[in-house]
Coordinates of all heavy atoms in Angstrom, one line a residue:
M1 N -79.3 -20.0 11.2 CA -78.4 -20.2 12.2 C -77.0 -20.1 11.6 O -76.7 -20.6 10.5 CB -78.6 -21.6 12.8 CG -77.8 -21.8 14.0 SD -78.0 -23.4 14.9 CE -79.6 -24.0 14.3
A2 N -76.1 -19.5 12.3 CA -74.7 -19.4 11.9 C -74.0 -20.7 11.8 O -74.2 -21.6 12.6 CB -73.9 -18.4 12.8
N3 N -73.2 -20.9 10.8 CA -72.5 -22.2 10.6 C -71.7 -22.8 11.8 O -71.9 -23.9 12.1 CB -71.7 -22.2 9.3 CG -72.5 -22.3 8.1 OD1 -73.6 -22.8 8.1 ND2 -72.0 -21.9 7.0
P4 N -70.9 -22.0 12.4 CA -70.1 -22.5 13.5 C -71.0 -23.0 14.7 O -70.8 -24.0 15.3 CB -69.2 -21.4 14.0 CG -69.3 -20.3 13.0 CD -70.5 -20.6 12.1
L5 N -72.1 -22.2 14.9 CA -73.0 -22.6 16.0 C -73.8 -23.8 15.6 O -74.2 -24.6 16.4 CB -73.9 -21.4 16.3 CG -73.2 -20.2 17.0 CD1 -74.1 -19.1 17.3 CD2 -72.5 -20.7 18.3
R6 N -74.1 -23.9 14.3 CA -74.9 -25.1 13.8 C -74.2 -26.4 14.2 O -74.8 -27.3 14.7 CB -75.1 -25.0 12.3 CG -75.9 -26.2 11.8 CD -76.2 -26.0 10.3 NE -76.8 -27.2 9.8 CZ -78.0 -27.7 9.9 NH1 -78.8 -27.1 10.7 NH2 -78.4 -28.8 9.4
A7 N -72.9 -26.4 14.0 CA -72.1 -27.6 14.4 C -72.2 -27.9 15.8 O -72.3 -29.1 16.3 CB -70.6 -27.5 13.9
E8 N -72.1 -26.9 16.7 CA -72.3 -27.1 18.1 C -73.6 -27.6 18.5 O -73.8 -28.5 19.4 CB -72.0 -25.8 18.9 CG -70.5 -25.5 19.2 CD -70.4 -24.4 20.1 OE1 -70.7 -24.5 21.3 OE2 -70.0 -23.3 19.6
V9 N -74.7 -27.1 17.9 CA -76.0 -27.5 18.2 C -76.2 -28.9 17.8 O -76.8 -29.7 18.5 CB -77.1 -26.6 17.4 CG1 -78.5 -27.1 17.5 CG2 -77.0 -25.2 18.0
V10 N -75.7 -29.3 16.6 CA -75.9 -30.7 16.2 C -75.1 -31.6 17.1 O -75.6 -32.7 17.4 CB -75.4 -30.9 14.7 CG1 -75.3 -32.3 14.3 CG2 -76.3 -30.1 13.8
R11 N -73.9 -31.2 17.5 CA -73.1 -32.1 18.5 C -73.9 -32.2 19.8 O -74.0 -33.3 20.3 CB -71.8 -31.4 18.7 CG -70.9 -32.2 19.7 CD -69.7 -31.4 20.2 NE -70.1 -30.0 20.7 CZ -70.6 -29.8 21.9 NH1 -70.8 -30.8 22.8 NH2 -70.9 -28.6 22.4
L12 N -74.5 -31.1 20.3 CA -75.2 -31.2 21.5 C -76.5 -32.1 21.4 O -76.8 -32.9 22.2 CB -75.7 -29.8 21.9 CG -76.6 -29.7 23.2 CD1 -75.8 -30.2 24.4 CD2 -77.1 -28.3 23.3
Y13 N -77.2 -32.0 20.2 CA -78.3 -32.8 20.0 C -78.0 -34.3 20.0 O -78.6 -35.1 20.6 CB -79.0 -32.4 18.6 CG -80.2 -33.2 18.3 CD1 -81.4 -32.9 18.9 CD2 -80.2 -34.3 17.5 CE1 -82.6 -33.6 18.6 CE2 -81.4 -35.0 17.2 CZ -82.6 -34.6 17.8 OH -83.7 -35.4 17.5
K14 N -76.9 -34.6 19.3 CA -76.4 -36.0 19.2 C -76.0 -36.6 20.6 O -76.3 -37.7 20.9 CB -75.3 -36.2 18.2 CG -75.7 -36.1 16.8 CD -74.6 -36.3 15.8 CE -75.0 -36.2 14.4 NZ -73.9 -36.4 13.5
N15 N -75.3 -35.7 21.3 CA -74.9 -36.1 22.7 C -76.1 -36.4 23.6 O -76.2 -37.4 24.3 CB -74.0 -35.0 23.3 CG -73.4 -35.5 24.6 OD1 -73.2 -36.6 24.8 ND2 -73.1 -34.5 25.4
L16 N -77.1 -35.5 23.5 CA -78.3 -35.6 24.4 C -79.1 -36.9 23.9 O -79.6 -37.6 24.7 CB -79.1 -34.4 24.3 CG -78.6 -33.2 25.1 CD1 -79.4 -32.0 24.8 CD2 -78.6 -33.5 26.6
L17 N -79.1 -37.1 22.6 CA -79.8 -38.2 22.1 C -79.2 -39.5 22.6 O -79.9 -40.5 23.0 CB -79.9 -38.2 20.6 CG -80.8 -39.1 19.8 CD1 -82.3 -38.7 20.3 CD2 -80.7 -38.8 18.3
Y18 N -77.9 -39.5 22.6 CA -77.1 -40.7 23.1 C -77.4 -40.9 24.6 O -77.6 -42.0 25.0 CB -75.6 -40.5 22.8 CG -74.8 -41.6 23.4 CD1 -74.7 -42.9 22.8 CD2 -74.1 -41.5 24.6 CE1 -73.9 -43.9 23.3 CE2 -73.3 -42.5 25.1 CZ -73.2 -43.7 24.4 OH -72.5 -44.7 25.0
L19 N -77.3 -39.8 25.4 CA -77.5 -39.9 26.8 C -79.0 -40.3 27.1 O -79.2 -41.0 28.1 CB -77.2 -38.6 27.5 CG -75.7 -38.2 27.5 CD1 -75.6 -36.8 28.1 CD2 -75.0 -39.2 28.4
G20 N -79.9 -40.0 26.3 CA -81.3 -40.2 26.5 C -81.7 -41.7 26.4 O -82.8 -42.1 26.8
R21 N -80.8 -42.5 25.8 CA -81.2 -43.9 25.7 C -81.5 -44.6 27.0 O -82.3 -45.5 27.0 CB -80.0 -44.7 25.0 CG -79.8 -44.2 23.5 CD -78.7 -45.0 22.9 NE -77.5 -45.1 23.7 CZ -76.6 -46.0 23.6 NH1 -76.7 -46.9 22.7 NH2 -75.6 -46.0 24.4
E22 N -80.8 -44.2 28.1 CA -81.0 -44.9 29.4 C -81.9 -44.1 30.3 O -81.9 -44.3 31.5 CB -79.6 -45.1 30.0 CG -78.7 -46.0 29.3 CD -77.4 -46.2 30.0 OE1 -77.4 -46.2 31.2 OE2 -76.4 -46.3 29.3
Y23 N -82.6 -43.1 29.8 CA -83.5 -42.3 30.6 C -84.5 -43.1 31.3 O -85.1 -44.1 30.7 CB -84.2 -41.2 29.7 CG -84.9 -40.1 30.5 CD1 -84.1 -39.2 31.1 CD2 -86.2 -40.0 30.5 CE1 -84.7 -38.2 31.9 CE2 -86.8 -39.0 31.2 CZ -86.1 -38.1 31.9 OH -86.7 -37.1 32.6
P24 N -84.8 -42.9 32.6 CA -85.7 -43.7 33.4 C -87.1 -43.9 32.8 O -87.7 -45.0 32.9 CB -85.8 -43.0 34.7 CG -84.5 -42.2 34.8 CD -84.2 -41.8 33.4
K25 N -87.6 -42.9 32.1 CA -89.0 -43.0 31.5 C -88.9 -43.6 30.1 O -90.0 -43.8 29.5 CB -89.7 -41.7 31.4 CG -90.1 -41.1 32.8 CD -91.0 -39.9 32.6 CE -91.5 -39.4 33.9 NZ -92.4 -38.3 33.8
G26 N -87.7 -43.9 29.6 CA -87.6 -44.6 28.3 C -87.0 -43.7 27.3 O -87.1 -42.5 27.3
G27 N -86.3 -44.3 26.4 CA -85.6 -43.6 25.3 C -86.5 -42.9 24.4 O -86.3 -41.7 23.9
D28 N -87.7 -43.5 24.1 CA -88.6 -42.9 23.2 C -89.2 -41.6 23.8 O -89.4 -40.6 23.1 CB -89.8 -43.8 22.8 CG -89.3 -45.0 22.0 OD1 -88.3 -44.9 21.3 OD2 -89.9 -46.1 22.1
Y29 N -89.5 -41.6 25.1 CA -90.1 -40.5 25.7 C -89.1 -39.3 25.7 O -89.4 -38.2 25.3 CB -90.4 -40.8 27.2 CG -90.8 -39.6 28.1 CD1 -92.1 -39.1 28.0 CD2 -89.8 -39.0 28.9 CE1 -92.4 -38.1 28.8 CE2 -90.2 -37.9 29.7 CZ -91.5 -37.5 29.6 OH -91.8 -36.4 30.4
F30 N -87.8 -39.6 26.0 CA -86.8 -38.6 26.0 C -86.5 -38.1 24.6 O -86.4 -36.9 24.4 CB -85.4 -39.2 26.5 CG -84.4 -38.2 26.7 CD1 -84.3 -37.4 27.9 CD2 -83.4 -37.9 25.7 CE1 -83.3 -36.5 28.0 CE2 -82.5 -37.0 25.9 CZ -82.4 -36.2 27.0
R31 N -86.5 -38.9 23.6 CA -86.3 -38.5 22.2 C -87.4 -37.6 21.7 O -87.1 -36.5 21.1 CB -86.2 -39.7 21.3 CG -85.8 -39.3 19.8 CD -85.7 -40.5 18.9 NE -86.9 -41.3 18.9 CZ -87.0 -42.6 19.2 NH1 -85.9 -43.3 19.5 NH2 -88.1 -43.2 19.2
D32 N -88.6 -37.9 22.1 CA -89.7 -37.0 21.7 C -89.6 -35.6 22.3 O -89.9 -34.6 21.7 CB -91.1 -37.7 22.0 CG -91.3 -38.9 21.2 OD1 -90.7 -39.1 20.1 OD2 -92.2 -39.7 21.6
R33 N -89.3 -35.6 23.6 CA -89.2 -34.4 24.3 C -88.0 -33.5 23.8 O -88.1 -32.3 23.6 CB -89.0 -34.6 25.8 CG -90.1 -35.3 26.5 CD -91.2 -34.4 26.9 NE -90.8 -33.3 27.6 CZ -90.9 -33.1 29.0 NH1 -91.5 -34.0 29.7 NH2 -90.5 -32.0 29.5
L34 N -86.9 -34.2 23.5 CA -85.7 -33.6 22.9 C -86.0 -33.0 21.6 O -85.7 -31.8 21.3 CB -84.5 -34.6 22.8 CG -83.2 -34.0 22.3 CD1 -82.6 -33.0 23.2 CD2 -82.3 -35.2 22.1
R35 N -86.7 -33.7 20.7 CA -87.0 -33.2 19.4 C -87.9 -32.0 19.5 O -87.8 -31.0 18.8 CB -87.7 -34.3 18.6 CG -87.9 -34.0 17.1 CD -88.5 -35.1 16.4 NE -87.5 -36.2 16.3 CZ -87.8 -37.5 16.4 NH1 -89.1 -37.8 16.5 NH2 -86.9 -38.4 16.3
A36 N -88.9 -32.1 20.4 CA -89.8 -30.9 20.6 C -89.1 -29.7 21.1 O -89.4 -28.6 20.6 CB -90.9 -31.3 21.6
A37 N -88.2 -29.9 22.0 CA -87.4 -28.7 22.5 C -86.6 -28.1 21.4 O -86.5 -26.8 21.3 CB -86.5 -29.2 23.7
F38 N -85.9 -28.9 20.6 CA -85.1 -28.3 19.5 C -85.9 -27.7 18.4 O -85.6 -26.7 17.9 CB -84.1 -29.4 19.0 CG -82.8 -29.5 19.7 CD1 -82.8 -30.2 20.9 CD2 -81.7 -29.0 19.2 CE1 -81.6 -30.3 21.6 CE2 -80.5 -29.1 19.9 CZ -80.4 -29.7 21.1
N39 N -87.1 -28.3 18.1 CA -87.9 -27.8 17.1 C -88.5 -26.4 17.5 O -88.8 -25.5 16.7 CB -89.0 -28.7 16.7 CG -88.6 -29.8 15.7 OD1 -87.6 -29.6 15.0 ND2 -89.2 -30.9 15.8
K40 N -88.8 -26.3 18.8 CA -89.4 -25.1 19.3 C -88.5 -23.9 19.2 O -88.9 -22.8 18.9 CB -89.7 -25.3 20.8 CG -90.4 -24.1 21.5 CD -90.7 -24.3 22.9 CE -89.4 -24.1 23.7 NZ -89.6 -24.1 25.2
N41 N -87.2 -24.1 19.2 CA -86.2 -23.1 19.1 C -85.4 -23.0 17.8 O -84.4 -22.3 17.7 CB -85.2 -23.2 20.3 CG -85.8 -23.0 21.6 OD1 -86.5 -22.1 21.8 ND2 -85.6 -24.0 22.5
K42 N -85.9 -23.7 16.8 CA -85.2 -23.7 15.5 C -85.2 -22.4 14.8 O -84.3 -22.2 13.9 CB -85.7 -24.9 14.6 CG -87.0 -24.6 14.0 CD -87.4 -25.8 13.1 CE -88.7 -25.5 12.5 NZ -89.1 -26.6 11.6
E43 N -86.1 -21.5 15.1 CA -86.2 -20.2 14.4 C -85.3 -19.1 15.0 O -85.2 -18.0 14.5 CB -87.6 -19.7 14.3 CG -88.6 -20.7 13.6 CD -88.2 -20.9 12.2 OE1 -87.7 -19.9 11.5 OE2 -88.4 -22.0 11.7
V44 N -84.6 -19.4 16.1 CA -83.8 -18.4 16.8 C -82.6 -18.1 15.9 O -81.9 -19.0 15.5 CB -83.4 -18.9 18.2 CG1 -82.4 -18.0 18.9 CG2 -84.6 -19.2 19.1
Q45 N -82.3 -16.8 15.7 CA -81.2 -16.4 14.9 C -80.1 -15.7 15.7 O -79.0 -15.6 15.2 CB -81.7 -15.5 13.8 CG -82.7 -16.1 12.8 CD -82.0 -17.2 12.0 OE1 -80.9 -17.0 11.6 NE2 -82.8 -18.2 11.7
D46 N -80.4 -15.2 16.8 CA -79.5 -14.4 17.6 C -78.3 -15.3 18.2 O -78.6 -16.2 18.9 CB -80.2 -13.7 18.8 CG -79.3 -12.8 19.6 OD1 -78.3 -12.3 19.1 OD2 -79.6 -12.7 20.8
P47 N -77.1 -15.0 17.8 CA -76.0 -15.9 18.2 C -75.8 -16.0 19.8 O -75.5 -17.0 20.3 CB -74.7 -15.3 17.6 CG -75.2 -14.5 16.5 CD -76.6 -14.0 16.8
E48 N -76.1 -14.9 20.4 CA -76.0 -14.9 21.9 C -77.1 -15.8 22.5 O -76.8 -16.5 23.5 CB -76.1 -13.4 22.5 CG -74.9 -12.6 22.1 CD -73.6 -13.1 22.6 OE1 -73.5 -13.6 23.8 OE2 -72.6 -13.1 21.8
K49 N -78.3 -15.7 22.0 CA -79.3 -16.5 22.5 C -79.1 -18.0 22.2 O -79.3 -18.9 23.1 CB -80.7 -16.1 21.8 CG -81.9 -16.8 22.3 CD -82.3 -16.4 23.7 CE -83.6 -17.1 24.0 NZ -83.9 -17.1 25.5
I50 N -78.5 -18.3 21.1 CA -78.1 -19.7 20.7 C -77.1 -20.2 21.7 O -77.2 -21.3 22.1 CB -77.7 -19.8 19.2 CG1 -78.9 -19.4 18.3 CG2 -77.2 -21.2 18.9 CD1 -78.5 -19.3 16.9
K51 N -76.1 -19.4 21.9 CA -75.0 -19.8 22.9 C -75.6 -20.1 24.3 O -75.2 -21.0 24.9 CB -73.9 -18.7 22.9 CG -73.1 -18.7 21.7 CD -72.0 -17.6 21.8 CE -71.3 -17.4 20.5 NZ -70.3 -16.3 20.5
E52 N -76.5 -19.2 24.7 CA -77.2 -19.4 26.0 C -77.9 -20.7 26.0 O -77.8 -21.5 27.0 CB -78.1 -18.2 26.2 CG -78.8 -18.2 27.5 CD -79.7 -17.0 27.7 OE1 -79.3 -15.9 27.4 OE2 -80.9 -17.2 28.0
M53 N -78.6 -21.1 24.9 CA -79.3 -22.3 24.9 C -78.4 -23.5 24.8 O -78.7 -24.6 25.4 CB -80.3 -22.3 23.7 CG -81.5 -21.4 23.9 SD -82.7 -21.6 22.6 CE -82.1 -20.5 21.4
I54 N -77.3 -23.4 24.1 CA -76.2 -24.4 24.1 C -75.7 -24.7 25.5 O -75.6 -25.8 25.9 CB -75.1 -24.1 23.1 CG1 -75.6 -24.2 21.7 CG2 -73.9 -25.0 23.3 CD1 -74.6 -23.6 20.7
T55 N -75.4 -23.6 26.2 CA -75.0 -23.7 27.6 C -76.0 -24.5 28.5 O -75.6 -25.3 29.3 CB -74.7 -22.3 28.2 OG1 -73.7 -21.7 27.4 CG2 -74.1 -22.5 29.6
R56 N -77.2 -24.1 28.3 CA -78.3 -24.8 29.1 C -78.4 -26.3 28.7 O -78.6 -27.2 29.5 CB -79.6 -24.1 28.8 CG -80.7 -24.7 29.6 CD -82.0 -23.9 29.5 NE -83.1 -24.5 30.3 CZ -84.3 -24.2 30.1 NH1 -84.7 -23.3 29.2 NH2 -85.2 -24.8 30.9
G57 N -78.2 -26.6 27.4 CA -78.3 -28.0 27.0 C -77.1 -28.8 27.5 O -77.2 -30.0 27.9
E58 N -75.9 -28.2 27.6 CA -74.8 -28.8 28.2 C -75.0 -29.1 29.7 O -74.5 -30.1 30.2 CB -73.5 -28.0 27.9 CG -73.1 -28.0 26.5 CD -72.0 -27.0 26.1 OE1 -71.7 -26.1 27.0 OE2 -71.4 -27.1 25.1
Y59 N -75.7 -28.2 30.3 CA -76.0 -28.4 31.7 C -76.9 -29.6 31.9 O -76.7 -30.4 32.8 CB -76.6 -27.1 32.3 CG -77.2 -27.3 33.7 CD1 -76.3 -27.3 34.8 CD2 -78.5 -27.5 33.9 CE1 -76.8 -27.5 36.1 CE2 -79.0 -27.7 35.2 CZ -78.2 -27.7 36.3 OH -78.7 -27.9 37.5
V60 N -77.9 -29.7 31.0 CA -78.8 -30.8 31.0 C -78.0 -32.1 30.8 O -78.3 -33.2 31.5 CB -79.9 -30.7 30.0 CG1 -80.7 -32.0 29.8 CG2 -80.8 -29.5 30.4
A61 N -77.1 -32.1 29.9 CA -76.3 -33.3 29.6 C -75.5 -33.7 30.9 O -75.4 -34.9 31.2 CB -75.3 -33.1 28.5
R62 N -74.9 -32.8 31.6 CA -74.1 -33.1 32.8 C -75.1 -33.6 33.9 O -74.7 -34.5 34.6 CB -73.4 -31.8 33.3 CG -72.2 -31.5 32.5 CD -71.3 -30.4 33.2 NE -72.0 -29.2 33.6 CZ -72.2 -28.2 32.8 NH1 -71.7 -28.1 31.6 NH2 -72.9 -27.1 33.3
E63 N -76.3 -33.1 34.0 CA -77.2 -33.6 35.0 C -77.7 -35.0 34.6 O -77.8 -35.8 35.6 CB -78.5 -32.7 35.0 CG -78.2 -31.3 35.7 CD -77.8 -31.4 37.1 OE1 -78.5 -32.1 37.9 OE2 -76.9 -30.8 37.6
L64 N -77.8 -35.3 33.4 CA -78.2 -36.7 33.0 C -77.1 -37.6 33.4 O -77.3 -38.7 33.9 CB -78.5 -36.8 31.5 CG -79.8 -36.3 31.1 CD1 -79.9 -36.2 29.5 CD2 -80.9 -37.2 31.6
E65 N -75.8 -37.2 33.1 CA -74.7 -38.1 33.4 C -74.6 -38.3 34.9 O -74.4 -39.4 35.4 CB -73.4 -37.5 32.9 CG -73.2 -37.5 31.4 CD -72.0 -36.8 31.0 OE1 -71.4 -36.0 31.7 OE2 -71.7 -36.9 29.8
A66 N -74.9 -37.3 35.7 CA -74.9 -37.4 37.2 C -76.0 -38.4 37.6 O -75.8 -39.2 38.5 CB -75.1 -36.1 37.8
L67 N -77.2 -38.3 37.0 CA -78.3 -39.2 37.3 C -77.9 -40.6 37.1 O -78.2 -41.5 37.9 CB -79.5 -38.8 36.5 CG -80.7 -39.7 36.5 CD1 -81.4 -39.5 37.9 CD2 -81.6 -39.4 35.4
Y68 N -77.3 -40.9 35.9 CA -76.9 -42.2 35.6 C -75.8 -42.8 36.5 O -75.9 -43.9 37.0 CB -76.4 -42.3 34.2 CG -77.5 -42.0 33.1 CD1 -77.1 -41.5 31.9 CD2 -78.8 -42.1 33.4 CE1 -78.1 -41.1 31.0 CE2 -79.8 -41.7 32.5 CZ -79.4 -41.3 31.3 OH -80.4 -40.9 30.4
Y69 N -74.8 -41.9 36.9 CA -73.8 -42.4 37.8 C -74.4 -42.7 39.2 O -74.0 -43.7 39.8 CB -72.7 -41.3 37.9 CG -71.8 -41.2 36.7 CD1 -71.4 -40.0 36.2 CD2 -71.3 -42.4 36.1 CE1 -70.6 -39.9 35.1 CE2 -70.5 -42.3 35.0 CZ -70.2 -41.1 34.5 OH -69.3 -41.0 33.4
L70 N -75.3 -41.8 39.6 CA -75.9 -42.1 40.9 C -76.7 -43.4 40.9 O -76.7 -44.1 41.9 CB -76.8 -40.9 41.3 CG -77.5 -40.9 42.6 CD1 -76.5 -41.0 43.7 CD2 -78.4 -39.7 42.8
R71 N -77.4 -43.6 39.8 CA -78.2 -44.8 39.7 C -77.3 -46.1 39.8 O -77.6 -47.0 40.4 CB -79.0 -44.8 38.4 CG -80.0 -46.0 38.3 CD -80.9 -45.9 37.2 NE -80.1 -46.0 35.9 CZ -80.7 -45.8 34.7 NH1 -81.9 -45.6 34.6 NH2 -79.9 -45.9 33.7
K72 N -76.2 -46.0 39.0 CA -75.2 -47.1 39.0 C -74.6 -47.3 40.4 O -74.4 -48.4 40.9 CB -74.1 -46.9 38.0 CG -74.7 -47.1 36.6 CD -73.6 -46.8 35.6 CE -74.2 -46.9 34.2 NZ -73.3 -46.5 33.1
Y73 N -74.3 -46.2 41.1 CA -73.7 -46.3 42.4 C -74.7 -46.9 43.4 O -74.3 -47.8 44.2 CB -73.3 -44.9 42.9 CG -72.9 -44.8 44.3 CD1 -71.7 -45.3 44.8 CD2 -73.8 -44.3 45.3 CE1 -71.4 -45.2 46.1 CE2 -73.5 -44.3 46.6 CZ -72.3 -44.7 47.0 OH -71.9 -44.7 48.4
R74 N -75.9 -46.5 43.3 CA -76.9 -47.1 44.2 C -77.1 -48.6 44.0 O -77.3 -49.4 44.9 CB -78.3 -46.4 44.0 CG -78.3 -45.0 44.7 CD -79.6 -44.4 44.5 NE -79.7 -43.1 45.1 CZ -80.6 -42.1 44.8 NH1 -81.5 -42.4 43.9 NH2 -80.5 -41.0 45.5
A75 N -77.1 -49.0 42.7 CA -77.2 -50.4 42.4 C -76.0 -51.2 43.0 O -76.2 -52.3 43.5 CB -77.3 -50.6 40.9
M76 N -74.8 -50.7 42.8 CA -73.6 -51.4 43.4 C -73.6 -51.4 44.9 O -73.3 -52.4 45.5 CB -72.4 -50.7 42.8 CG -72.1 -51.0 41.4 SD -70.5 -50.6 40.8 CE -69.4 -51.4 41.8
K77 N -74.0 -50.3 45.5 CA -74.1 -50.2 46.9 C -75.1 -51.2 47.5 O -74.9 -51.9 48.5 CB -74.5 -48.8 47.4 CG -74.5 -48.6 48.9 CD -74.9 -47.2 49.2 CE -74.9 -47.1 50.7 NZ -75.4 -45.8 51.1
K78 N -76.2 -51.4 46.8 CA -77.3 -52.3 47.2 C -76.8 -53.8 47.1 O -77.1 -54.6 47.9 CB -78.5 -52.1 46.3 CG -79.7 -52.7 46.7 CD -80.8 -52.4 45.7 CE -82.2 -52.4 46.4 NZ -83.2 -52.1 45.5
R79 N -75.9 -54.1 46.1 CA -75.4 -55.4 45.9 C -74.4 -55.8 47.0 O -74.4 -56.9 47.5 CB -74.7 -55.5 44.6 CG -75.6 -55.7 43.5 CD -74.8 -56.0 42.2 NE -75.6 -55.6 41.1 CZ -75.1 -55.0 40.0 NH1 -73.9 -54.7 39.9 NH2 -75.9 -54.6 39.0
Y80 N -73.6 -54.8 47.5 CA -72.5 -55.2 48.3 C -72.7 -54.8 49.8 O -71.9 -55.3 50.7 CB -71.2 -54.5 47.8 CG -70.8 -55.1 46.5 CD1 -70.9 -54.4 45.3 CD2 -70.3 -56.4 46.4 CE1 -70.5 -54.9 44.1 CE2 -69.9 -56.9 45.2 CZ -70.0 -56.2 44.0 OH -69.7 -56.7 42.8
Y81 N -73.6 -53.9 50.1 CA -73.8 -53.5 51.5 C -75.3 -53.7 51.9 O -76.2 -53.4 51.2 CB -73.5 -52.0 51.7 CG -72.0 -51.7 51.3 CD1 -71.7 -51.1 50.1 CD2 -71.0 -52.0 52.2 CE1 -70.4 -50.8 49.8 CE2 -69.7 -51.8 51.9 CZ -69.4 -51.1 50.7 OH -68.1 -50.8 50.3
E82 N -75.4 -54.2 53.1 CA -76.7 -54.4 53.6 C -77.2 -53.0 54.3 O -76.4 -52.4 54.9 CB -76.8 -55.5 54.7 CG -76.5 -56.8 54.1 CD -76.6 -57.9 55.1 OE1 -77.3 -57.7 56.1 OE2 -76.0 -59.0 54.9
E83 N -78.4 -52.7 54.1 CA -78.9 -51.5 54.7 C -79.6 -51.7 56.1 O -80.0 -52.7 56.5 CB -79.9 -50.8 53.8 CG -79.2 -50.4 52.5 CD -80.1 -49.6 51.6 OE1 -81.2 -49.1 52.1 OE2 -79.8 -49.5 50.4

């Protein structure tokens, strides 16, 4: 893997690992799935393919953040408003 892309991949991995701590099925489940996904693609050498996978990983990170914000919003709404 090219050095500049390696730094991006490591940053993405750490970010996803951090976000996975609050995953609904548990942090261990998320960490195992994350590790498997990264190990599956560790042999990829094409920079364009790596950039494409980084973009997909960033999309997953944004979706996780949206999931967490929605969960927090629902909890606050439940506390303050009757349904």
Side-chain angles (χ1 to χ4, degrees):
M1 186 178 342
N3 280 338
L5 292 177
R6 178 174 171 77
E8 272 190 75
V9 170
V10 170
R11 179 193 53 79
L12 177 64
Y13 183 80
K14 286 181 178 182
N15 186 27
L16 286 170
L17 197 58
Y18 176 78
L19 289 172
R21 294 182 312 158
E22 296 182 35
Y23 193 69
K25 288 188 176 183
D28 293 335
Y29 172 82
F30 187 85
R31 184 179 56 236
D32 293 342
R33 298 279 307 257
L34 180 65
R35 187 176 295 140
F38 273 77
N39 281 334
K40 182 179 82 170
N41 295 312
K42 73 178 181 180
E43 299 299 326
V44 176
Q45 296 293 324
D46 182 28
E48 291 302 317
K49 183 72 173 165
I50 294 171
K51 288 178 185 176
E52 184 179 309
M53 288 188 278
I54 289 171
T55 303
R56 185 173 180 195
E58 289 170 346
Y59 172 77
V60 169
R62 286 193 305 272
E63 289 294 314
L64 280 172
E65 288 174 349
L67 172 74
Y68 298 153
Y69 288 134
L70 183 61
R71 186 173 65 184
K72 289 177 184 176
Y73 170 76
R74 286 181 178 162
M76 288 192 56
K77 184 178 177 186
K78 196 177 204 182
R79 281 187 204 137
Y80 295 107
Y81 299 104
E82 293 182 25
E83 293 184 20

